[in-house]
């Protein structure tokens, strides 16, 4: 009972062994992460189309709930770029940005994602995430990064623009180009340039100055904070807000409020598909980060328990004024590098953010939106890695088709259609590949008991005997292929008296394949040709024995292909032509 | 060039060798089939909700076109029960039965099916039919048979009733029960009973009277004709039509008219999904009949050319007042048994039906609809074979789930949802199965070079070495499974220094699996554990060599598992614990 509880509420496990060293390590990590998270939270709230405080609220309760239910020691949960984009895309279909309905729909979306993740965790359905192939995820994230960066250009240019696809966004930006605002561009472009510089050049420079690695790292990561402070001071000092620069403005000074998501049936119907997408994509992103970090310390995360942890975190967001969250890559890596030892580090981060929400929000009044947009653009452009196109092109064309489709459709038709088409096309391509399995006609390698492909090796064959090695499990998609193949092979050669199917690589025979084998057996009997099986694996044989096939087989089942050969060919190979 | 033409227009091939024996055999077969087809065509037109002559028209041009382009020597193409049901279901959504729009939509549906079949043939997409697993087809046909039989009860009872699902039909029948018509029931029930009797008892009786087999067979098959003649005479003699028995009535005396399907965009949008369904289901039914018959004569049919043949036949139906057609089981078997030698038999049948359309239609004026309903009911109830439920239950639960879902949803929600859900669920179940592949931990069988499952055999193992034999191709659905499994196994045993993946049953490694292997490699390196591969197949190795994996591998690739064992374990097994 206790073990069972510990498994599902991991805090009971590591909490018992918590000591002073872990405490101080966790506190230091929490401080660093908190400073980094403040601008990031505001920025992702803006990306999701929500007021800035929503980003901070979405980082408090979820972190604590994940610390209780999650299994990763280093994962930091909160708003992340791709999920914020998905949120904006989903909410844009049900309400206008800035309306009450929009904020309520964000709660509902977090609630639905939480409920789905919890349900998947309880039902142990984590494997569903596997339907997203790596190329589809990579293509989707690259395309999302481009979409996100483009969506932020309006803040840099100081214009109004809308749209959820690349053509829409670019069209809208061009239409509003005459309204661009010089001061905003100045801030936006300098912030972007500064952030790119810190990211690309600061660290090597600091290292050349012989600063310790970890210190160089922290200074580099503090780039966004510096940009925030500098541009906020500039706006305040020169009254740039009065000259038309758009700023964050008044953010309520408060702890996260208690909120209740709307459970209106119409709203749920509109949001359920985006919620499924957010849950699965968030889960995939989070699990891959968590696994990478856990491996570094020879720890293990439990994907089904992760679903529970992320589900609880999203539920927390739904009831505390947030929006959908997941485990983020950059914040988790910072947390890990800063030495976080247990999920308690997350809880301390939450306390830090709560203090910020109560005490520090007046400080961001003059923060220009262009700076937030710059932090988003610089963060997401690192996600845009189109080398996946080249890599899959070299490795396997089917994977390339899946990536290219995902990227093109995500950019052109939006995130939901893009990822949906990516999943559909990878499944179809996989089924297509297995629908034409490799089947080798084999013969005996002289002087051995081995059988090899007759087209690749000098082997002994017999005109009366055809042996086919099937290199794939047999199931409905390829069952008929085998029927056609055998029919073709047998109608070609009139001397054929026996067909042997060598099943060494057949891991499964489903009911369709069973019926195909029965049909093959019937047709071969009509042609007066025997059908035999060899090297059938134990589990496959067990199943075939529960059918009529073996009883009605117009031939035998041989343990080894060599037994089949000995039994079905004339005594000496030289007689074979007779 | 000539060879190419012969392949795509098979008539050029067999037409050259046509002789007098073939002619007389084909003529006899055609006469028998024609007699059988007259009532059947009228009945299936009624089932599709179309006027009776449409059934005869749909049997003329299609037969001739299939004879030119099809590859089966014995297949008889025309209206069949399941496709007629699909037609009625599709047309019911766009127009009212009996309206001009309904008949025009039938032409459009035939045109779309023809175009789809031709396109699939030209693009060689016949494999798409494989996505319908055998259990899904069997479940769908059984459920369709039940739906069809139920839909005909109204003609037997002489009431009005509507609906496209079992609950709708039964509800409608019950609502109209007070209106049942005694004389109609009398005709309907006696015709049904007579037909069941001829089907079940007549043939054995005739055989006991020492009649030749083929004669007994023809007499039995003529049962529907006898029922038609007897009930028509009864209606005429006793003026039953004047007493409320519903009859076929006036059928125009004419050759098939030239018609043009409507190509209205809205209509096409409404009919495209049913047309896809009709094409694929019709193709599957037709090909399985054709293959069965071809095998009996050691002939072969070409599935891609069959698509062309069926496509041309449906085009013919669209332009000659018909509706969607395909190769039917019963008519093809009669044709085959009657000795049809070439597709010319089909052409003669077409001539026979054309004569019937011009000369014999007045004879069916008094034919009661109840008799046609009886022939349909008796024909389709032979399709209702629910033993597939029991068979799949015994053989494999996943197949059972697919059948049961298909049957329940076809009956409860209609044919389109039923078969769609069947396809979706079989694909998902297949992916689920391969998402948890069998992975055996293996050890050395003493005194041999063979490696076997450590849980099934007494084998030698080494605490520092874990060897996992993966019994499935690695692709995106199961890539992460392997990551988790290895992570779990390695975090369990602290003495582990090497992991060997034995790839003897791995037929493919897609890009996702490659990235998983790279992740496994990185994580194992972080834990200071080596990753090795053994017995990698040639094509898989070629592909892996085009990636970074092999270069970055924290270990070696061994040709055989025994090489790996010799190289990675201490010299003698007794040292292993050291």
């Amino acid at each position: 009972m206790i073990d069972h509880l510990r498994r599902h509420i991991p805090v009971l496990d590591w909490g018992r062994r918590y000591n002073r060293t872990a405490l101080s390590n966790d506190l230091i990590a929490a401080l660093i992460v908190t400073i980094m998270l403040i601008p990031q939270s505001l920025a992702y709230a803006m990306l999701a189309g929500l007021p800035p405080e929503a980003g901070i609220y979405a980082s408090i309760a979820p972190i604590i709930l994940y610390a209780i239910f999650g299994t990763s020691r280093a994962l930091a949960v909160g708003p992340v770029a791709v999920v914020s984009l998905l949120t904006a895309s989903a909410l844009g279909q049900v309400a206008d940005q800035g309306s009450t309905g929009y904020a309520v729909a964000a709660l509902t979306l977090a609630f639905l994602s939480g409920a789905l993740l919890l349900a998947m965790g309880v039902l142990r359905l984590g494997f569903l995430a596997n339907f997203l192939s790596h190329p589809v995820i990579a293509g989707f994230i690259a395309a999302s990064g481009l979409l996100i960066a483009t969506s932020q250009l309006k803040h840099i240019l100081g214009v109004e623009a809308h749209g959820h696809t690349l053509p829409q966004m670019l069209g809208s930006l061009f239409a509003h180009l005459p309204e661009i605002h010089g001061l905003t561009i100045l801030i936006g472009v300098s912030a972007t340039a500064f952030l790119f510089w810190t990211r690309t050049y600061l660290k090597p420079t600091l290292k050349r100055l012989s600063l310790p690695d970890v210190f160089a790292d922290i200074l580099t990561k503090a780039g966004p904070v510096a940009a925030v402070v500098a541009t906020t001071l500039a706006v305040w000092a020169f009254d740039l807000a009065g000259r038309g620069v758009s700023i964050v403005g008044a953010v309520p000074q408060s702890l996260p409020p208690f909120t209740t998501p709307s459970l209106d049936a119409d709203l749920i119907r509109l949001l359920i598909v985006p919620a499924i997408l957010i849950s699965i994509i968030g889960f995939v992103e989070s699990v891959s980060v968590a696994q990478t970090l856990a491996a570094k310390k020879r720890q293990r995360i439990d994907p089904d328990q992760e679903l529970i942890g992320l589900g609880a975190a999203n539920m927390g967001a739904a009831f505390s004024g947030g929006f959908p969250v997941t485990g983020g890559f950059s914040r988790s890596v910072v947390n890990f590098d800063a030495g976080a030892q247990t999920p308690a580090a997350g809880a301390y981060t939450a306390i830090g953010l709560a203090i910020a929400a109560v005490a520090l929000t007046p400080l961001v009044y003059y923060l220009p939106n262009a700076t937030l947009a710059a932090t988003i653009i610089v963060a997401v452009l690192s996600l845009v890695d189109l080398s996946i196109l080249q890599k899959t092109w070299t490795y396997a064309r089917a994977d390339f088709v899946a990536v290219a489709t995902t990227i093109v459709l995500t950019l052109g038709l939006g995130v939901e259609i893009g990822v949906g088409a990516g999943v559909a096309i990878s499944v179809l391509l996989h089924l297509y590949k297995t629908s034409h399995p490799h089947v080798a006609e084999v013969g005996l390698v002289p002087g051995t008991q081995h059988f090899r492909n007759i087209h690749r090796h000098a082997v002994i064959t017999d005109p009366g005997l055809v042996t086919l090695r099937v290199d794939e499990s047999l199931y409905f998609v390829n069952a008929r292929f085998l029927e056609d193949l055998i029919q073709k092979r047998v109608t070609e050669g009139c001397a054929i008296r026996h067909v042997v199917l060598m099943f060494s690589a057949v891991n499964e025979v489903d009911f369709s394949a069973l019926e195909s084998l029965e049909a093959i057996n019937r047709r071969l009997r009509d042609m007066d040709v025997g059908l035999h099986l060899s090297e059938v694996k134990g589990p496959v044989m067990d199943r075939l024995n529960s059918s009529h096939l073996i009883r009605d087989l117009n031939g035998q089942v041989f343990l080894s292909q060599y037994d089949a050969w000995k039994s079905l060919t004339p005594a000496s190979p030289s007689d074979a032509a007779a």
Side-chain angles (χ1 to χ4, degrees), chain A:
Chain A
M1 177 62 198
I2 294 289
D3 271 356
H4 186 77
L5 263 184
R6 274 198 202 124
R7 174 145 169 249
H8 289 290
I9 312 178
V11 66
L12 299 177
D13 185 32
W14 58 261
R16 284 187 313 157
R17 296 190 295 266
Y18 204 63
N19 59 24
R20 190 169 295 186
T21 327
L23 174 68
S24 70
N25 285 338
D26 285 349
L27 278 176
I28 293 170
L31 183 66
I32 296 170
V33 175
T34 305
I35 293 171
M36 194 193 93
L37 279 193
I38 295 174
Q40 203 182 86
S41 304
L42 301 175
Y44 289 149
M46 186 172 87
L47 173 54
L50 289 160
E53 65 271 21
I56 297 184
Y57 299 158
S59 306
I60 298 176
I63 288 185
I64 298 175
L65 286 161
Y66 181 83
I68 298 171
F69 294 103
T71 55
S72 167
R73 301 284 172 99
L75 197 72
V77 171
V80 304
V82 172
V83 168
S84 300
L85 172 72
L86 287 167
T87 301
S89 161
L91 299 184
Q93 290 161 25
V94 300
D96 288 330
Q97 269 192 30
S99 67
T100 325
Y102 193 91
V104 171
L107 302 176
T108 304
L109 195 59
F111 177 84
L112 290 176
S113 307
L116 285 166
L117 288 161
L118 286 173
M120 282 165 66
V122 169
L123 300 172
R124 312 192 74 70
L125 294 179
F127 74 92
L128 280 180
N130 299 342
F131 284 71
L132 283 172
S133 73
H134 294 205
V136 168
I137 297 169
F140 177 70
I141 287 185
S144 300
L146 275 177
L147 279 183
I148 294 170
T150 311
S151 76
Q152 297 308 305
L153 283 181
K154 63 181 177 195
H155 297 296
I156 302 279
L157 299 175
V159 301
E160 283 288 309
H162 302 283
H164 290 292
T165 68
L166 200 62
Q168 283 170 3
M169 288 178 189
L170 292 178
S172 183
L173 277 178
F174 275 111
H176 291 88
L177 221 46
E179 303 151 25
I180 56 172
H181 187 254
L183 280 172
T184 306
I185 296 187
L186 186 65
I187 297 173
V189 170
S190 9
T192 310
F194 171 74
L195 291 172
F196 264 117
W197 176 77
T198 55
R199 198 171 257 260
T200 322
Y201 299 106
L202 186 59
K203 202 170 162 186
T205 312
L206 293 175
K207 273 192 180 167
R208 239 177 291 122
L209 301 173
S210 322
L211 278 177
D213 235 34
V214 58
F215 192 59
D217 223 45
I218 290 172
L219 267 187
T220 313
K221 288 273 161 43
V225 177
V228 163
V229 171
T231 54
T232 305
L233 286 176
V235 171
W236 171 72
F238 306 112
D239 186 24
L240 299 184
R243 294 152 99 181
V245 171
S246 161
I247 56 170
V248 167
V251 177
Q253 272 183 278
S254 117
L255 285 175
F258 176 76
T259 53
T260 43
S262 155
L263 297 181
D264 178 66
D266 285 333
L267 188 61
I268 290 178
R269 200 162 39 245
L270 286 167
L271 293 178
I272 190 72
V273 172
I276 292 173
L277 216 59
I278 287 175
S279 317
I280 293 191
I281 289 177
F283 173 62
V284 169
E285 182 168 357
S286 186
V287 161
S288 58
V289 175
Q291 268 177 334
T292 307
L293 299 179
K296 287 188 199 286
K297 295 200 167 173
R298 210 163 176 146
Q299 290 162 350
R300 213 183 136 243
I301 61 140
D302 171 354
D304 286 313
Q305 184 61 35
E306 280 300 284
L307 284 166
I308 307 271
L310 292 174
N314 274 290
M315 282 292 179
F319 287 98
S320 65
F323 58 99
V325 294
T326 194
F329 183 71
S330 59
R331 66 181 66 193
S332 300
V333 171
V334 172
N335 195 33
F336 183 84
D337 288 345
Q341 250 187 305
T342 72
Y348 307 145
T349 305
I351 294 170
L353 285 170
I355 294 170
V358 173
L360 304 182
T361 47
L363 299 182
V364 297
Y365 184 90
Y366 289 107
L367 171 58
N369 286 329
T371 307
L372 291 180
T375 64
I376 294 177
I377 288 174
V378 175
V380 297
L381 282 185
S382 69
L383 301 177
V384 182
D385 178 7
L386 294 174
S387 70
I388 183 73
L389 283 169
Q390 184 265 316
K391 281 191 221 159
T392 49
W393 177 263
T394 321
Y395 186 74
R397 294 298 145 86
D399 286 306
F400 173 79
V401 171
V403 183
T405 309
T406 309
I407 293 179
V408 170
L409 294 188
T410 302
L411 293 177
L413 299 176
V415 283
E416 288 163 25
I417 293 177
V419 77
V423 170
I425 210 159
S426 9
V427 169
L428 286 177
L429 285 171
H430 169 69
L431 295 177
Y432 177 73
K433 278 185 276 179
T434 57
S435 77
H436 295 70
H438 184 238
V439 176
E441 188 167 343
V442 296
L444 183 66
V445 180
T448 72
Q449 301 186 1
H450 291 297
F451 288 79
R452 287 289 160 84
N453 196 326
I454 58 168
H455 299 298
R456 296 200 185 184
H457 300 84
V459 290
I460 307 173
T461 58
D462 180 297
L465 174 69
V466 173
T467 302
L468 300 170
R469 192 191 68 215
V470 183
D471 281 352
E472 188 80 60
S473 289
L474 292 175
Y475 74 112
F476 62 97
V477 166
N478 58 29
R480 209 166 275 118
F481 173 83
L482 192 66
E483 284 186 50
D484 290 346
L485 189 96
I486 293 178
Q487 187 90 350
K488 185 167 173 218
R489 183 66 188 84
V490 173
T491 48
E492 272 168 6
C494 286
I496 297 168
R497 287 168 296 115
H498 299 286
V499 171
V500 181
L501 297 177
M502 189 174 162
F503 266 25
S504 45
V506 173
N507 298 312
E508 205 217 330
V509 173
D510 82 349
F511 193 77
S512 301
L514 173 74
E515 295 207 318
S516 278
L517 290 173
E518 288 174 342
I520 291 167
N521 184 42
R522 255 192 324 275
R523 287 175 198 159
L524 289 180
R525 186 192 291 128
D526 287 343
M527 300 186 203
D528 211 16
V529 173
L531 176 69
H532 312 267
L533 304 178
S534 76
E535 309 202 354
V536 183
K537 294 189 176 187
V540 174
M541 197 65 215
D542 289 348
R543 206 163 246 192
L544 292 181
N545 275 328
S546 78
S547 74
H548 296 308
L549 177 68
I550 302 300
R551 203 188 56 204
D552 298 341
L553 197 67
N554 187 30
Q556 289 170 260
V557 179
F558 295 98
L559 267 187
S560 80
Q561 177 55 32
Y562 190 67
D563 292 345
W565 172 266
K566 280 190 298 186
S567 157
L568 300 175
T569 53
S572 117
S574 60
D575 297 355

